[in-house]
Amino acid sequence: QEAESLMKEYQDEGINVKEFYHLMQEWLKDKILVDKTPSYAYNIDILKRAEIDFENAFYIHLVRHPYGTIRSFEEAKLDLLVPFMQKSSFTRRELAEMIWLVSHQNILEFLKDVPADRQICVRFEDLVSYSQSTVTTICQFLGLEFHPDMLQPYKEKTERMTDGLEVVSQMSGDLKFYLHQGISADIAYRWKQFHTVDFLGDITWDIAKIFGYGE
């Protein structure tokens, strides 16, 4: 209730997005603000605002094999959570591939103008298969000290802010969060059990190969 009241106050004042982020950074003091919103990648102009509104922001480009992403999208039925997707004439699988493709096309185009020392590409498969070395590399990139708890994302689940805004609303983030006990390398290519015939478009494979994924 306190948060909702505060947000209404800011809305009534007409505070813009940049000003609100500035407020959050003031509240955080010496902590680091991390924004992980996948839908930003749907529109390159939104991505460009990060360079306009922030000074020397760092970017972690997280990628996953398109088949893995598509399988995850299908399992979670993510199209049901987005109004414009519900109205689409495309199948859930087609939507998933297009979102993967357009998102990474936009990210790659955006990162062309970002200095190399402020961006890093991380493959999901490496993150779950070689967790410690991958996380250590991310820490070095961000100038952070590695901590063992970074490899325990499911530790103390009840202390995590994973619930939705309302009591019965859907949680934000990984819908299978409470089903996991720890990082599992098996999840990297579990999609192979379900996708046995190649159905990806050529343009999707062209982008996938940039990240080291072969047909």
Side-chain angles (χ1 to χ4, degrees), residues 60-63 120-142 146 150-151 183:
I60 299 175
H61 183 185
L62 180 63
V63 302
I120 185 174
C121 184
V122 177
R123 300 200 328 168
F124 172 82
E125 293 78 10
D126 296 334
L127 193 56
V128 297
S129 300
Y130 313 103
S131 301
Q132 184 161 339
S133 60
T134 304
V135 172
T136 298
T137 299
I138 295 174
C139 287
Q140 292 172 344
F141 166 67
L142 295 173
F146 173 81
M150 293 177 177
L151 303 180
I183 298 174

Side-chain angles (χ1 to χ4, degrees), residues 52-110:
I52 296 171
D53 292 348
F54 294 89
E55 183 178 349
N56 295 324
F58 284 74
Y59 303 96
I60 299 175
H61 183 185
L62 180 63
V63 302
R64 186 179 185 181
H65 195 291
Y67 278 134
T69 305
I70 291 169
R71 176 59 188 172
S72 179
F73 186 99
E74 290 179 311
E75 282 187 312
K77 300 178 181 179
L78 294 180
D79 55 305
L80 299 181
L81 303 179
V82 184
F84 81 83
M85 292 186 193
Q86 295 177 30
K87 300 176 183 178
S88 173
S89 60
F90 294 100
T91 66
R92 180 170 292 150
R93 178 170 293 183
E94 289 171 337
L95 276 172
E97 179 177 352
M98 286 190 291
I99 288 170
W100 186 96
L101 174 61
V102 172
S103 294
H104 288 300
Q105 285 178 322
N106 285 339
I107 293 171
L108 289 171
E109 181 64 25
F110 164 67

Side-chain angles (χ1 to χ4, degrees), residues 105-191:
Q105 285 178 322
N106 285 339
I107 293 171
L108 289 171
E109 181 64 25
F110 164 67
L111 290 176
K112 284 182 180 179
D113 297 322
V114 176
D117 62 343
R118 289 200 286 114
Q119 59 173 285
I120 185 174
C121 184
V122 177
R123 300 200 328 168
F124 172 82
E125 293 78 10
D126 296 334
L127 193 56
V128 297
S129 300
Y130 313 103
S131 301
Q132 184 161 339
S133 60
T134 304
V135 172
T136 298
T137 299
I138 295 174
C139 287
Q140 292 172 344
F141 166 67
L142 295 173
L144 300 175
E145 183 178 349
F146 173 81
H147 191 286
D149 279 358
M150 293 177 177
L151 303 180
Q152 301 294 330
Y154 306 106
K155 183 180 179 180
E156 300 176 348
K157 294 180 181 179
T158 57
E159 302 300 316
R160 308 282 183 171
M161 294 177 64
T162 58
D163 53 330
L165 290 176
E166 306 294 337
V167 176
V168 295
S169 62
Q170 192 170 33
M171 67 173 285
S172 176
D174 184 1
L175 303 181
K176 292 185 176 181
F177 178 79
Y178 288 97
L179 300 179
H180 299 306
Q181 299 301 317
I183 298 174
S184 173
D186 296 337
I187 200 70
Y189 293 101
R190 190 170 64 88
W191 56 264

